[in-house]
Amino acid sequence: RRLAYVVVDQTFSVVRAAFDRAAGRLSGAPVELLQNSQRISNPVLSSDGQWIAFDTLGGAQEDLFLMHPDGSGLRQVTDDAPRDRLPSFSPDSQRLVFMSDRSGQWELWTIRLDGSGLSRLSPTLESVFTPLWSPDGKTIAASTGQNVLLLELDEKGAVRATTKVPRPSDDLSVLGLGW
């Protein structure tokens, strides 16, 4: 007797490709910077162009990582049981805001790039997702799935006030996608 079976060997990669803006197309071959067995998700480039932040999904841990755009300097920013997702850089590229379930529900947290200074932004009554730092660094937008919240920050980075952005219609869900 014989047995036939399938082996799934799934890997995920971060790939860099040069882009010719004038021609509107890639120029040159893509270069693989990183390969991982965990799903690499939500990559974002820092405003100073020095770092790419991303999260990993689907493994025993879901953490945040950083690496330089050339693929060097890979380092893990968070390394713990809570799920950490959707990093967004502060305008000065010194901190990340991200969503995490470390308090038992999805909330926004900040952390320095070296992994120090972990701080919960603000406990909320509802889970929040998709954090986006404003270009001036004074506000963070996040979605609850039904609403977009604007978290106004004080000079120390703590939430001073929260404003709910009006929805165009009660039967619509809204997400903040950019500033």
Side-chain angles (χ1 to χ4, degrees):
R1 298 203 171 232
R2 292 194 169 108
L3 173 67
Y5 60 94
V6 175
V7 175
V8 177
D9 183 15
Q10 194 170 26
T11 60
F12 298 88
S13 299
V14 175
V15 177
R16 180 185 70 220
F19 186 77
D20 182 338
R21 287 185 191 189
R25 65 174 183 244
L26 295 179
S27 58
V31 176
E32 185 175 74
L33 302 176
L34 174 69
Q35 189 177 83
N36 195 327
S37 60
Q38 277 190 280
R39 181 176 175 190
I40 298 169
S41 187
N42 303 304
V44 61
L45 183 66
S46 62
S47 59
D48 65 6
Q50 297 298 307
W51 295 103
I52 296 171
F54 59 92
D55 58 49
T56 57
L57 303 175
Q61 290 187 200
E62 296 181 1
D63 292 311
L64 303 180
F65 290 81
L66 287 170
M67 69 180 199
H68 293 293
D70 66 0
S72 68
L74 177 67
R75 70 175 179 237
Q76 192 165 354
V77 179
T78 60
D79 186 6
D80 50 24
R83 295 178 294 171
D84 303 326
R85 297 180 181 169
L86 288 163
S88 175
F89 282 97
S90 60
D92 65 2
S93 302
Q94 298 302 304
R95 297 184 67 79
L96 294 170
V97 62
F98 61 98
M99 57 184 261
S100 179
D101 68 351
R102 61 188 57 244
S103 67
Q105 71 175 10
W106 291 106
E107 292 185 318
L108 301 184
W109 293 73
T110 62
I111 195 167
R112 287 197 253 320
L113 301 189
D114 66 3
S116 68
L118 178 66
S119 176
R120 183 168 64 171
L121 267 183
S122 176
T124 59
L125 298 176
E126 52 194 330
S127 292
V128 288
F129 311 93
T130 61
L132 296 167
W133 224 306
S134 66
D136 66 6
K138 295 179 180 179
T139 307
I140 293 175
S143 174
T144 66
Q146 295 298 313
N147 296 292
V148 171
L149 302 178
L150 299 177
L151 296 98
E152 182 184 334
L153 305 177
D154 66 18
E155 53 283 336
K156 293 182 180 177
V159 176
R160 175 189 334 217
T162 302
T163 304
K164 200 178 276 191
V165 175
R167 286 191 294 171
S169 170
D170 283 343
D171 61 343
L172 295 177
S173 294
V174 294
L175 291 173
L177 298 176
W179 286 94

